[in-house]
Amino acid sequence: MKPAPFVHHAPRSVEEAVDVLAQVGHDGKVLAGGQSLIPILNMRLASPGHLVDINRVAGLDRVEVRDGDVRVGALVRHAELEHHEGAYAALPLLRQALVNVAHPAIRNRGTTVGSIAHADAAGEMPAILALTEGVVEAAGPRGTREISPADFFLGALETCLAEDELAVAVRFPRFSPGTATAFAESARRHGDYAMAGVAAAVTVVDGVITDARTSFVSVTDVPSVLDLTEVLGGSEPADADWAAAAEVVRGHVEPEADIHATADYRRMLAGELARRVLAQAAQNAATTKGSSH
Amino acid sequence: MTTQMFGAPIRRKEDPRLLTGGGRYLDDLGQHALAAAFVRSPHAHARITDIDVTDAVDVGGIVAIYTWEDLPGKVAEPLPLLIPHPTLTHGRTGYALARDEVNHVGEPVVMVVATDRYLAEDACQRIRVDYELLPVVVGIENARDGAHLVHEDAPGNVAAHMVQETGDVEAALATAPHTLTLDLAIERSACMPMEGKGVYARWNDEDGELRIYSSTQTSTGVRAAVAAKLELPLAKVECIAPDVGGGFGVKIMHPWPEEVLVPWAARLLKREVKWAEDRREHFISSAHERGQLQKVTVGFDDEGRVLGLDVKFWHDNGAYTPYGIIVPIITSTQLLGPYKPGAYRCEFWSLYTNTVLVTPYRGAGRPQGVFAMERTMDAIADYLDLDRAEVRSRNFILPEEMPYDHGLLFQDGRPLKYDSGDFPASLDKLKKLVGWDDFEAYRAEAEAEGRKVGLGIGCYVEGTGVGPYEGGHITIETSGRVNVATGLTTQGQGHQTAFAQIVAQELGVPIEDVHVTTGDTRKMPYAVGTFASRAAVMSGNAIALATRNVKAKALRIAADALEVSEDDLEIVDGVVQVKGAPTTSMPLGTVAVLSNPLRYAFDDAAKAATQFAGTFDPDKPPVADDEEPGLEGRDFYSPTQATFANGMHAAIVETDPVTAEIRILRYCVIHDCGTMINPMIVEGQVHGGVAQGVGGALYERMAYDESGQLLNASFMDFLMPYASEVPHIEADHLETPSPLNPLGIKGAGEAGCIPVSAVIASAIEDAEGFPITSMPISPVELWELRQRHETGELPSLRHHHGQHQTAAAPSRDQEPTA
Amino acid sequence: MTDMTTEQLLDVTVNVNGVPRTASVPARRLLSDFLRHDLQLTGTHVGCEHGVCGACTVLVDGKPMRSCLMFAVTAQDHRVTTVEGLCDAPDARPCATGERMNPVQQAFAECHGLQCGFCTPGFLTTVTAYLEENPAPTQDEAREAISGNLCRCTGYQNIVKSVLRAAEIRTERLGEDGGEAGYAAAPAARHTSSSANGGERA
Ligand SMILES: Cc1cc2nc3c(=O)[nH]c(=O)nc-3n(C[C@H](O)[C@H](O)[C@H](O)COP(=O)(O)OP(=O)(O)OC[C@H]3O[C@@H](n4cnc5c(N)ncnc54)[C@H](O)[C@@H]3O)c2cc1C
Ligand code: FES
Ligand code: FES
C-alpha cells in the first residue's frame, strides 16, 4: 500500500496555489491534512499526477470569532477548532460535532475545511455547515466567490468547486439568541464514521419553541436541513411531540445500506437520534435562555 | 534462598527493549534488501488466460518479474498438505504462484522484485492478467448444495467428512424424556495480528547457505519446508523468527507462498529479498477462521441431564486445506466442554468455498464448539425452567471422575482424556464474582429505569500443550551467564521472561543472568512451533528438564572440586555451596571453567581451565569418560496426551431498547490453567483473549459478497475493537495442577477468547427474551430480530425472567420508558 | 501518471528527536517510511497504512499524528518525535538494563502494558502527549485517551492501567525535576532543561 508517484507542489500563497491548480488541471489534487486523501492514495484508488500541498500557504491557519460567525481557514485542523474556546463560546455545536470526527490523532492533522471540501456524506462537518447555513469561501483564477451549502454540495464526494478552485475558508454563522444545539451519532466503534448522526438547533423564546431544525450525517446524500418548526413550534420543551418530529425525520432521510447497517436501521436511528438531540437542545435552550447554548 | 521466581508476577525482560524502539520485527531487518510485491487475483474463481508484463518491465528499479511458468522443480509444484488425515479425502493446496486457475481473491499470480516496495507496486499496477471467470462458491449453504464446484475433482465441495461417536446416540435420543434441536451459525473472523506476515531471505552464495527470517510461529517448520521446496540440504538452511508482532494462529500456517518464493528469488538473484505484507494483502491472502453452520439435537431428562447429543456441522475451509482439518476436529471434540454428554455423535463436513483458506485462529474451532454446547445448555434450562448455572452443574464431570476419558480422539490423534479440573469450584467462584444470585434484583432495578439488561454464562475446556515435543537447551558460560534456547517461537507471550523464571527457579540463579532465545534454528533445530497454547507446557517443561540436567552436572563437578557429596550441595544466587556451610562454595561460572578443560588461555577464566593450571589426577582423562565438556544440558518433553485447561465466563450486557445497541457492562472470568509461571502474563493473555472474543462476538466478520469480494478488507470496515469497545475484565484464577507434567502447568494462550461468543449470546438472549442462534451480532441484526420476534416469526423463550417474557403476546418495546 | 523511470528526488530535512535529519526521497515517500527506512528509526511501526491502527503515531510539533498519513516532504522543517526520542525526554530515567525510559515507557513496563510490542510505540507517543494535556486522568479518561489506537494482544486493560501509572510517575519525576518535564518542549528547550538537570542523564 504505497502511493503512486506524483509531482509535489508547495505554493506559499493562495494565488500561487490557484495558479498551479489551473496549470495541472484535472490531473491535480489539493492536499490539506491528507487524512482522507492519503488513505486513498496509499490504496491506489486514485493516483493524481500532481499534489498541490497547501500546508505552506500563508494566512489560512486562523480561527476568527466574529460578531456574526466563526471563520475557519483552510489549514485549521479539526483539533484546533475543537479546542478553540472562543469558537466554543460562540458556537458550541462546533465542538459538539468535532469530538465525533475520527480520533484525536486524525483531528490533529485533518482540516475542517478539507472535510467539507471532501463532501463525504458520512462526514460531520458538512452537516454542521448546512445547519448553520454557512458559507464556503473559494478562490480561483477568476477571483473569489462565496458559496452556500445548498450550492456547494452536489452529491456524495462531489462539490461545485472547480478543478482550479481552492476553498480558503468556511464561515459558520452563529445562531440567534435563545438557540441551543446538540449533536449525537451512532457509530459501530467510537471514532468511526457514523451509521447515522443528527445535529439539532432549537430556539426557545419565553419558554416556547420558536424554531427547530436538524441536519444529518450518513443518511442523506448531501447535507440537508430539515425545518421542524411546524411540528415543534409553539410547544414547551417539556411537552413537545418529539415522536412526531422523529416521524418527520424518518420520512425525510434517504439512507442507503452498506455492510454496517441497512437503510431501515439507519432511518430508525436518524429518527431516534433526532428525538434525543431535539429534546436535549430544547431543554438547554429553555434553561440557558438568552445565551446561545 | 534465591527469591521465589516460579509463580511470581515478574516484570518482563523483553520490555525495556521493546519500549524504547529496540524491537527488531521483520520489516526492521534487511534495510537494503530488494522488495517483493505481488499481483493478486481480483477474482474469486477464474482461469488465467494471459499474463502480460510488458508495461511493467520499464518501470525504473524493477529487478525481476516471475509467473508460475518461471518456477522450477518443486517450487512449481503444489504447496504441501501439512496435516493429512484419513478423512481428508479431497485435500487440495494451492501453488506458490497460481498456475492456471485462481480460487480466491488475493491468490498470488505474479511476483515482482524491485529496489523498493513503491516501485514494485508501480510494476504490479502495470501488469495485465486476463481471466476467464468461473462460477463462484461463497457461503456454507452454497458450498453445501454443490451446484457449483470450487475444485472440479472435489464433488459436493467436500474436502473431508468425519464422524466420531461414543455410545448409541439414536437410542439415547429415542428414549430421552425431552429432545431439542438447535440450528446455529458462526461467521468468519481472522487473527489479524498488528504486524502482518513477512519474509526476508539472505542467500550466501559463497557457502551455498540460506538464511530466512520469517514472521512465523514455527521457524523449524519454515526451514524444513523451504529446504524441501528449494531442494537444499537442511544443514544449509536456517530460519529465524525475529520479534513477531502477534500471531494468533495465522503464522503457524506455513509455508505461505511468499515463504517459498522470497528465498527462491534471493537464491536466484543472489541478492537479499524481503516481502512485508501490507494490511490489504493480509485481509485477502492470509487465513481466516470460525465460519460454521451447526445442527444440534440433544436429549435430556427432567433434571436437565444430557442423555444424548447429536451434532452435525458444516465447516467452511476456504479454497484450500494445507493445514488439514484441525479446526473442525477440535470443534467436534472440544464442544463437550466440562460436561458428560451421554451418548455423543459428531459428524462434520469440511467444505470448499472460493474464499481465503481457513487455518487455526486463537481458540481454533473451540469458540464454535463452545457456542454449540452452551447454546444447548441455555436451551435446556429454558425448556425446563431451570437456572442456567444449575443445568450446567448437573452435567459437569466431577473432580473425583478425573481423569475422564471421553472415548474420542483429539486433534493430536490421541485420546480425549481430561487430566484434572474442578468445574464445580470454578462455577461457584464465577457465580460469586458476577453476583449470579443477585442478578434478578438488578434486572428489576434496571427495568424500572427502562433499561434492558441480561446475564450470560459460558464454560469451556481447552486441550492445551499437544505434542509431539519441544526441547530445551542450556549452556552456562564461565561468566555465569545462562543461555537458554528453545525452538518454538514468541509473538508477545513473554517467553523470555517466563522461561527465565523456570530456569532461575530450578537452577538457583538470578533471573538477570538468564537469557532465552526462541525460534532460531541455529540455537535449537528440533522444535514444532507455537500453537495450541503449548509453549509453556511443552517448552516450559523441556526447559525445566534441561535445567535439571545441567544442574546435576554442575553439582557433580562442584562436588568433585569441593570434595563434598553432591547431596550436600545447593545452588543459591548462582553460587554452588554446601548446605548449611555457605563459605564452602564456588560460583557457577567457575564450575563452567572446570567443566571445559582448555588448551588456550584467552582470558582469566580460560587460564584457570588450561592443562597446566592447578593440580589434576594424571590417571584420569581431562574429560571423564561419561561426561562431555561444557556446562550444558539438553532435554525434550514429549507428553502422551494434551493437558486440559478450563474456564468459565459470565457477562452482563445492556441492549438499547430502541436502537438495539449492545453494551457489555461487566465481564467476569474464572480461569484454571494449572500452576501459573507468571500470573501477570497469564492475566494479560486472558485480557487479550477476551478482547478478541468480544471482537468476534459483536464487531468482526468477513463480509464477502456473492462474487467472492471481501467488502471490508480494511481496518476502517473490519471492526477490530478499540479500548472503547472492550469492557473492563474481572478475572480470578483457580490453580488445579496438571498431573501430566513436572511443572503442573496447562496452556493459557487461547483461553480468553473461547467462550465469549457463547457468553454474549447467552446474555443478549437473556436481555431480549428470544433465542440468539447466530454470532457475531450487530445492533442492526438485533434490531431485525426484534422485529421478527414482534411479528411472531421468532418465538419467545419459554421461561424468560425479564419483563418481555410472555410467549403468547410478545410486546415490542420500541419506546423507551426513560 | 508521471514517468516512473525518472522519479524526481527531493532533499527533505525533518527535525527528528531534536536532530535535523536529511534524506533524498521521492515526493511520495510516506513519513512512516522516511523514518523507518531512510532514517532507519524502526521504532515507529506500520500496521495498516490507512490511518486506523495508530501504530505509526509520532508527535509532529508535539502533537500525535499518523505518520502513514503524511508525506515526508510535508513534514519538512517540522519537529517529529518518535518512540526513540521519548527516551531523551528530560523526565526519562535509565532502567536496570540501561535503557532510558520516560514515565509512560516506565509505566508500560511496570503494568504489563504490552505483549508483542508492535502497537506499543503508537500508544507511547499518544499517551505521552495526552498526559501533557491531562496530567491526572481518571480511568475512563485514560481509556478514552487510548481509544484511537488498536492493539490485538493486550485487551487494553493493562494499557489503561499504564496510563494511570504513567501519570503518577510523571508527577513524581516532575517533583524531582523542579517543575520541568515533558517531551513537548521544543528540542532546544528540551536540551536546555536537560542540561540544567545534567546529572540525571546517563
Ligand atoms: C481513521 C480515520 C477516521 C476518520 N473518521 C472520520 C469521521 O468519523 N468523520 C469525518 O468527518 N471524517 C473522518 N475522517 C476524515 C478526516 O476528518 C479528514 O481529515 C477530512 O475528511 C479531510 O480533511 P483533510 O484536511 O485531511 O483533507 P485531505 O485529505 O487533504 O483532502 C480531502 C479532499 O478534499 C480536497 N481538499 C482538501 N482541502 C481542500 C481545500 N481547501 N480546497 C479544495 N479542496 C480541498 C482534497 O483535494 C481531497 O480531495 C477520518 C479519517 C481517518 C483516517
Ligand atoms: S499504520 Fe498508520 S495508522 Fe495504521
Ligand atoms: S501488544 Fe501486540 S498489538 Fe499491542
Side-chain angles (χ1 to χ4, degrees):
Chain A
M1 295 199 351
K2 309 291 182 191
F6 55 79
V7 177
H8 181 254
H9 304 269
R12 301 274 165 168
S13 67
V14 170
E15 295 68 36
E16 208 189 315
V18 168
D19 275 354
V20 184
L21 282 171
Q23 276 164 35
V24 299
H26 75 277
D27 200 20
K29 269 266 169 211
V30 173
L31 173 68
Q35 304 301 285
S36 291
L37 184 55
I38 297 179
I40 294 169
L41 299 180
N42 287 2
M43 297 188 206
R44 298 201 185 206
L45 299 174
S47 27
H50 297 264
L51 281 194
V52 183
D53 180 346
I54 60 169
N55 284 282
R56 274 159 217 283
V57 173
L60 296 183
D61 57 355
R62 282 197 303 274
V63 178
E64 295 163 72
V65 181
R66 313 191 298 190
D67 283 347
D69 58 25
V70 177
R71 184 176 183 274
V72 178
L75 283 178
V76 174
R77 314 289 164 178
H78 290 307
E80 286 168 60
L81 184 58
E82 171 196 345
H83 294 124
H84 196 285
E85 291 305 332
Y88 179 63
L91 205 50
L93 180 60
L94 294 174
R95 185 181 295 174
Q96 289 164 352
L98 280 164
V99 295
N100 294 284
V101 177
H103 309 284
I106 309 282
R107 299 203 289 273
N108 281 337
R109 186 84 204 145
T111 65
T112 299
V113 172
S115 88
I116 287 166
H118 191 53
D120 192 333
E124 285 80 1
M125 298 319 281
I128 301 307
L129 188 77
L131 190 66
T132 56
E133 294 172 358
V135 173
V136 178
E137 298 177 17
R142 296 162 299 282
T144 57
R145 56 177 180 142
E146 301 199 340
I147 314 167
S148 72
D151 294 335
F152 187 76
F153 298 110
L154 300 182
L157 303 177
E158 208 190 331
T159 70
C160 74
L161 282 182
E163 278 160 20
D164 54 5
E165 270 184 316
L166 183 71
V168 290
V170 294
R171 302 202 301 262
F172 298 101
R174 297 181 180 210
F175 291 105
S176 62
T179 306
T181 55
F183 183 92
E185 66 175 40
S186 174
R188 288 293 276 118
R189 293 176 301 189
H190 178 75
D192 280 348
Y193 283 104
M195 293 182 287
V198 185
V202 179
T203 311
V204 175
V205 176
D206 298 330
V208 171
I209 296 172
T210 57
D211 192 273
R213 290 149 201 273
T214 49
S215 71
F216 305 93
V217 179
S218 292
V219 287
T220 54
D221 249 14
V222 289
S224 65
V225 177
L226 177 63
D227 191 334
L228 291 160
T229 313
E230 216 167 282
V231 188
L232 299 171
S235 327
E236 289 176 18
D239 50 34
D241 190 350
W242 307 120
E247 189 59 46
V248 177
V249 166
R250 283 195 289 270
H252 169 81
V253 298
E254 294 176 317
E256 282 176 29
D258 70 3
I259 55 170
H260 301 302
T262 59
D264 284 348
Y265 180 76
R266 286 173 198 270
R267 174 171 288 112
M268 176 280 296
L269 262 188
E272 172 61 13
L273 293 171
R275 192 187 64 72
R276 291 176 190 179
V277 289
L278 283 165
Q280 191 188 333
Q283 197 188 4
N284 289 354
T287 47
T288 54
K289 56 169 140 132
S291 95
S292 60
H293 284 249
Chain B
M1 258 310 285
T2 307
T3 36
Q4 179 67 25
M5 279 291 142
F6 194 97
I10 304 289
R11 284 185 201 165
R12 300 201 320 171
K13 287 170 74 85
E14 39 276 84
D15 287 351
R17 190 172 60 80
L18 297 178
L19 283 164
T20 52
R24 286 291 169 268
Y25 301 86
L26 197 278
D27 193 37
D28 303 343
L29 311 171
Q31 290 284 353
H32 302 291
L34 299 174
F38 294 85
V39 176
R40 295 178 185 276
S41 171
H43 303 297
H45 198 190
R47 207 158 282 128
I48 299 169
T49 54
D50 188 39
I51 301 177
D52 180 1
V53 302
T54 16
D55 278 358
V57 283
D58 32 271
V59 173
I62 295 306
V63 177
I65 300 176
Y66 304 114
T67 66
W68 180 83
E69 309 251 324
D70 300 307
L71 306 180
K74 293 193 170 158
V75 181
E77 292 174 10
L79 295 163
L81 201 165
L82 287 178
I83 312 184
H85 190 280
T87 66
L88 179 56
T89 50
H90 293 76
R92 297 289 176 271
T93 61
Y95 292 87
L97 291 172
R99 183 177 173 175
D100 38 26
E101 191 177 313
V102 287
N103 279 301
H104 67 83
V105 171
E107 198 166 344
V109 180
V110 185
M111 178 186 192
V112 173
V113 182
T115 49
D116 83 17
R117 175 79 186 211
Y118 289 72
L119 299 168
E121 290 190 20
D122 292 347
C124 288
Q125 217 179 354
R126 293 175 161 217
I127 292 169
R128 299 278 159 263
V129 184
D130 293 333
Y131 298 91
E132 179 194 321
L133 301 189
L134 297 170
V136 174
V137 181
V138 174
I140 297 176
E141 280 105 338
N142 291 332
R144 189 166 61 181
D145 86 17
H148 297 294
L149 295 180
V150 175
H151 303 288
E152 268 168 41
D153 52 355
N157 292 309
V158 177
H161 174 220
M162 182 170 172
V163 186
Q164 284 217 70
E165 182 164 13
T166 66
D168 186 343
V169 174
E170 300 290 341
L173 291 177
T175 54
H178 314 283
T179 57
L180 280 171
T181 297
L182 290 83
D183 286 300
L184 303 168
I186 279 217
E187 282 194 43
R188 273 191 181 205
S189 183
C191 304
M192 218 43 75
M194 294 306 298
E195 182 204 29
K197 307 198 305 288
V199 199
Y200 160 47
R202 280 164 36 178
W203 173 253
N204 177 339
D205 204 45
E206 281 174 11
D207 300 333
E209 286 179 353
L210 177 67
R211 179 183 296 180
I212 311 160
Y213 293 86
S214 180
S215 183
T216 182
Q217 289 173 233
T218 172
S219 47
T220 43
V222 172
R223 177 198 192 206
V226 173
K229 276 281 175 202
L230 302 193
E231 299 177 74
L232 283 166
L234 200 57
K236 292 292 185 185
V237 180
E238 55 199 28
C239 179
I240 299 157
D243 287 321
V244 173
F248 313 112
V250 64
K251 297 176 182 175
I252 189 63
M253 173 47 215
H254 68 281
W256 288 98
E258 301 85 359
E259 279 172 328
V260 174
L261 294 169
V262 168
W264 168 74
R267 181 176 66 174
L268 189 66
L269 296 168
K270 300 185 175 37
R271 305 273 299 271
E272 297 185 6
V273 181
K274 180 169 75 174
W275 169 73
E277 185 181 55
D278 70 30
R279 189 52 57 184
R280 179 164 165 81
E281 289 183 288
H282 189 80
F283 269 102
I284 62 172
S285 61
S286 287
H288 303 163
E289 211 232 276
R290 303 287 194 248
Q292 284 181 1
L293 294 181
Q294 307 167 331
K295 188 178 205 78
V296 181
T297 305
V298 63
F300 50 99
D301 65 16
D302 296 338
E303 312 299 311
R305 277 191 204 88
V306 176
L307 304 172
L309 185 65
D310 189 12
V311 177
K312 290 185 176 39
F313 71 90
W314 295 265
H315 172 81
D316 177 354
N317 62 226
Y320 302 110
T321 52
Y323 210 75
I325 48 169
I326 288 298
V327 174
I329 294 181
I330 295 177
T331 303
S332 69
T333 45
Q334 296 264 271
L335 181 150
L336 296 172
Y339 312 113
K340 289 175 280 196
Y344 175 58
R345 177 171 64 196
C346 186
E347 177 172 19
F348 71 76
W349 293 262
S350 191
L351 301 172
Y352 287 111
T353 57
N354 289 114
T355 59
V356 179
L357 53 95
V358 163
T359 68
Y361 161 31
R362 194 182 207 166
R366 292 179 191 86
Q368 301 93 309
V370 169
F371 182 67
M373 193 70 197
E374 295 299 307
R375 294 285 63 220
T376 304
M377 286 292 158
D378 281 354
I380 295 172
D382 180 54
Y383 187 88
L384 297 173
D385 194 17
L386 290 171
D387 176 66
R388 292 171 292 166
E390 180 58 30
V391 168
R392 285 168 169 82
S393 97
R394 288 178 187 173
N395 284 289
F396 279 160
I397 295 162
L398 300 174
E400 53 271 27
E401 295 173 287
M402 297 288 178
Y404 187 87
D405 192 340
H406 275 290
L408 299 167
L409 290 184
F410 191 41
Q411 60 141 320
D412 52 358
R414 293 176 171 263
L416 182 72
K417 189 162 104 187
Y418 296 176
D419 48 335
S420 66
D422 188 341
F423 307 139
S426 286
L427 183 63
D428 264 1
K429 252 182 182 290
L430 180 70
K431 284 170 69 174
K432 286 206 187 79
L433 184 61
V434 74
W436 185 266
D437 294 329
D438 305 328
F439 182 73
E440 286 313 324
Y442 174 74
R443 189 205 303 272
E445 250 171 61
E447 278 177 352
E449 295 162 10
R451 298 166 51 217
K452 277 169 101 112
V453 293
L455 170 65
I457 183 174
C459 311
Y460 68 93
V461 167
E462 184 199 1
T464 69
V466 295
Y469 73 87
E470 286 299 332
H473 181 235
I474 299 189
T475 54
I476 302 176
E477 297 188 16
T478 55
S479 63
R481 176 188 165 106
V482 182
N483 303 307
V484 182
T486 188
L488 56 63
T489 58
T490 303
Q491 307 82 43
Q493 301 92 334
H495 293 155
Q496 290 179 12
T497 307
F499 295 155
Q501 284 177 259
I502 294 174
V503 173
Q505 180 81 36
E506 292 276 342
L507 192 56
V509 296
I511 194 164
E512 295 75 29
D513 290 348
V514 185
H515 302 270
V516 177
T517 304
T518 60
D520 184 337
T521 59
R522 298 169 302 177
K523 300 280 168 63
M524 170 53 91
Y526 296 103
V528 185
T530 301
F531 56 91
S533 304
R534 68 192 293 280
V537 180
M538 302 301 299
S539 283
N541 281 295
I543 287 169
L545 295 173
T547 310
R548 290 173 193 179
N549 289 345
V550 79
K551 181 176 184 179
K553 180 167 188 180
L555 294 184
R556 270 198 312 276
I557 294 168
D560 206 31
L562 297 171
E563 299 181 332
V564 295
S565 150
E566 285 168 41
D567 298 340
D568 294 335
L569 290 175
E570 62 180 1
I571 307 179
V572 176
D573 260 337
V575 177
V576 188
Q577 61 190 33
V578 173
K579 289 175 195 159
T583 46
T584 310
S585 69
M586 146 182 307
L588 264 179
T590 308
V591 182
V593 170
L594 296 177
S595 75
N596 184 19
L598 292 175
R599 187 168 176 85
Y600 307 115
F602 46 82
D603 66 6
D604 283 346
K607 201 158 107 191
T610 53
Q611 288 155 291
F612 299 103
T615 55
F616 59 92
D617 182 343
D619 294 332
K620 284 190 189 162
V623 177
D625 286 342
D626 51 354
E627 290 283 15
E628 290 175 358
L631 201 45
E632 190 170 0
R634 192 162 95 143
D635 211 337
F636 292 86
Y637 174 65
S638 179
T640 53
Q641 65 153 85
T643 169
F644 290 81
N646 70 84
M648 303 186 184
H649 296 191
I652 298 178
V653 305
E654 173 162 2
T655 58
D656 187 290
V658 181
T659 62
E661 287 160 303
I662 303 158
R663 211 152 61 90
I664 302 173
L665 301 179
R666 285 187 66 204
Y667 201 95
C668 299
V669 174
I670 302 294
H671 179 248
D672 186 348
C673 61
T675 316
M676 289 191 274
I677 307 169
N678 184 328
M680 177 187 84
I681 291 177
V682 171
E683 202 145 300
Q685 290 293 315
V686 170
H687 293 166
V690 170
Q692 277 183 321
V694 168
L698 296 175
Y699 298 100
E700 299 165 9
R701 74 183 69 220
M702 290 293 168
Y704 279 101
D705 69 9
E706 66 272 23
S707 69
Q709 297 295 334
L710 186 57
L711 300 177
N712 60 343
S714 82
F715 278 168
M716 208 74 175
D717 288 317
F718 177 80
L719 306 176
M720 245 157 76
Y722 287 103
S724 36
E725 282 68 51
V726 177
H728 180 84
I729 298 151
E730 304 163 57
D732 198 358
H733 302 273
L734 210 73
E735 291 189 67
T736 315
S738 170
L740 296 177
N741 63 68
L743 299 177
I745 54 189
K746 303 178 174 186
E750 296 170 274
C753 76
I754 293 173
V756 184
S757 277
V759 172
I760 300 298
S762 173
I764 294 174
E765 175 171 297
D766 186 48
E768 298 289 325
F770 52 77
I772 302 294
T773 55
S774 175
M775 292 295 273
I777 187 165
S778 64
V780 59
E781 286 160 327
L782 180 58
W783 183 71
E784 287 174 347
L785 288 180
R786 281 181 184 172
Q787 289 177 329
R788 289 177 48 206
H789 178 236
E790 189 192 8
T791 60
E793 192 189 327
L794 195 68
S796 293
L797 295 179
R798 293 179 153 226
H799 297 287
H800 182 242
H801 293 272
Q803 68 185 179
H804 330 281
Q805 67 190 34
T806 40
S811 71
R812 184 177 181 193
D813 186 25
Q814 281 293 38
E815 278 306 307
T817 36
Chain C
M1 224 180 271
T2 53
D3 181 2
M4 289 183 184
T5 51
T6 56
E7 200 175 351
Q8 190 196 349
L9 298 183
L10 310 167
D11 283 333
V12 172
T13 302
V14 180
N15 185 311
V16 181
N17 300 328
V19 182
R21 304 284 303 266
T22 306
S24 225
V25 298
R28 59 170 156 163
R29 181 74 90 241
L30 296 169
L31 179 59
S32 46
D33 286 335
F34 178 79
L35 294 169
R36 289 179 43 72
H37 300 309
D38 296 298
L39 305 185
Q40 307 210 353
L41 289 167
T42 53
T44 299
H45 298 156
V46 164
C48 71
E49 292 178 302
H50 49 270
V52 184
C53 76
C56 67
T57 308
V58 298
L59 305 180
V60 179
D61 300 327
K63 293 191 186 121
M65 294 184 194
R66 308 294 206 222
S67 63
C68 73
L69 294 190
M70 231 177 128
F71 293 113
V73 304
T74 312
Q76 174 93 26
D77 299 332
H78 287 274
R79 284 183 299 116
V80 170
T81 308
T82 66
V83 64
E84 289 93 344
L86 300 183
C87 309
D88 296 330
D91 57 358
R93 302 282 181 275
C95 69
T97 41
E99 293 89 346
R100 291 180 58 85
M101 297 204 279
N102 87 351
V104 184
Q105 293 166 307
Q106 176 68 32
F108 271 65
E110 289 182 17
C111 303
H112 190 26
L114 67 156
Q115 290 182 23
C116 77
F118 198 79
C119 67
T120 312
F123 278 93
L124 296 173
T125 47
T126 302
V127 174
T128 299
Y130 176 75
L131 291 177
E132 292 273 307
E133 247 173 58
N134 185 359
T138 63
Q139 179 151 331
D140 286 348
E141 288 168 343
R143 194 171 272 274
E144 158 118 33
I146 58 159
S147 284
N149 292 59
L150 288 173
C151 171
R152 195 57 160 167
C153 295
T154 62
Y156 304 106
Q157 191 148 322
N158 287 342
I159 301 184
V160 173
K161 201 165 151 192
S162 302
V163 176
L164 300 176
R165 177 66 189 131
E168 284 172 19
I169 301 174
R170 194 172 169 278
T171 311
E172 283 161 29
R173 292 187 183 173
L174 209 62
E176 295 166 26
D177 269 1
E180 182 73 58
Y183 74 94
R190 214 175 63 200
H191 287 301
T192 321
S193 83
S194 57
S195 57
N197 298 294
E200 279 152 13
R201 288 182 76 90

